[in-house]
């Protein structure tokens, strides 16, 4: 691992290898925890009781910035396609119709088993005259913490 690597997504299933991020991300949306309570009316009481009903999906969001300055032509496209593949089922049209589990590592702060919910790229500097491959991209990634 490169000394400037801050974070990575390590697939726990499927044929895709680890994806490491250098210098990225600069900030991560911290894990949001939310609970739902059911209100139970009690005869003779002034106030209802609150009973824990369920929690919400815990979400981690971050943005990556990619630059093809010293990388080969297809670097951004390949990076984007590899991340997007993690949001699709391992074996499509089969009984295992869920995205692969991944381990998200962000320094010593976050180490969570997740699924990739969405990958939203924005391509910039489409100056390559022959291929229009982008020189820069920002990719918004949303992960759902896996409930095992």
């Amino acid at each position: 691992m490169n000394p400037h690597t801050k974070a990575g997504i390590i697939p726990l299933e499927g044929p895709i290898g680890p994806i490491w991020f250098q210098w990225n991300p600069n900030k991560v949306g911290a894990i949001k925890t939310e609970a739902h309570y059911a209100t139970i009316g009690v005869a003779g009481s002034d106030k209802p009781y609150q009973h824990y009903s369920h929690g919400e999906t815990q979400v981690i969001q971050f943005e990556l910035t990619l630059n093809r300055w010293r990388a080969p032509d297809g670097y951004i496209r390949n990076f984007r396609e590899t991340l997007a593949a993690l949001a699709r089922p391992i074996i499509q049209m089969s009984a295992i119709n869920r995205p692969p589990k991944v381990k998200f590592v962000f320094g010593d702060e976050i180490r969570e088993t997740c699924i990739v919910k969405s990958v939203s790229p924005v391509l910039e500097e489409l100056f390559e005259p022959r291929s229009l491959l982008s020189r820069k991209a920002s990719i918004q990634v949303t992960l759902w913490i896996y409930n095992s």
Side-chain angles (χ1 to χ4, degrees):
M1 188 163 62
N2 189 302
H4 302 294
T5 300
K6 287 185 179 180
I9 293 178
I10 305 162
L12 302 175
E13 306 169 303
I16 298 172
I19 303 169
W20 298 109
F21 317 133
Q22 290 184 349
W23 309 102
N24 274 288
N26 290 327
K27 59 184 175 181
V28 174
I31 300 167
K32 176 184 170 189
T33 304
E34 186 175 331
H36 291 272
Y37 290 89
T39 303
I40 302 169
V42 179
S45 176
D46 290 355
K47 301 175 193 135
Y49 288 120
Q50 281 74 36
H51 179 74
Y52 179 75
S53 172
H54 64 282
E56 284 289 316
T57 301
Q58 293 181 313
V59 176
I60 300 173
Q61 291 182 319
F62 57 93
E63 182 175 272
L64 300 171
T65 303
L66 303 177
N67 192 325
R68 200 186 81 196
W69 181 54
R70 290 189 176 178
D73 283 348
Y75 169 72
I76 291 176
R77 182 188 64 228
N78 293 339
F79 194 97
R80 180 175 44 89
E81 288 173 355
T82 301
L83 267 177
L86 293 173
R88 294 190 286 273
I90 302 167
I91 304 168
Q92 295 188 14
M93 305 302 289
S94 72
I96 310 170
N97 205 12
R98 62 168 176 74
K101 289 186 268 185
V102 300
K103 177 70 79 174
F104 176 64
V105 178
F106 184 73
D108 292 332
E109 183 71 27
I110 301 172
R111 294 176 186 273
E112 293 286 349
T113 301
C114 307
I115 59 172
V116 179
K117 168 68 171 110
S118 68
V119 175
S120 304
V122 175
L123 305 176
E124 304 171 30
E125 296 186 20
L126 305 170
F127 297 141
E128 176 61 39
R130 293 181 307 273
S131 63
L132 288 181
L133 288 171
S134 61
R135 290 188 183 165
K136 288 176 63 179
S138 57
I139 301 175
Q140 182 73 33
V141 180
T142 303
L143 305 173
W144 281 0
I145 295 180
Y146 189 76
N147 185 13
S148 53

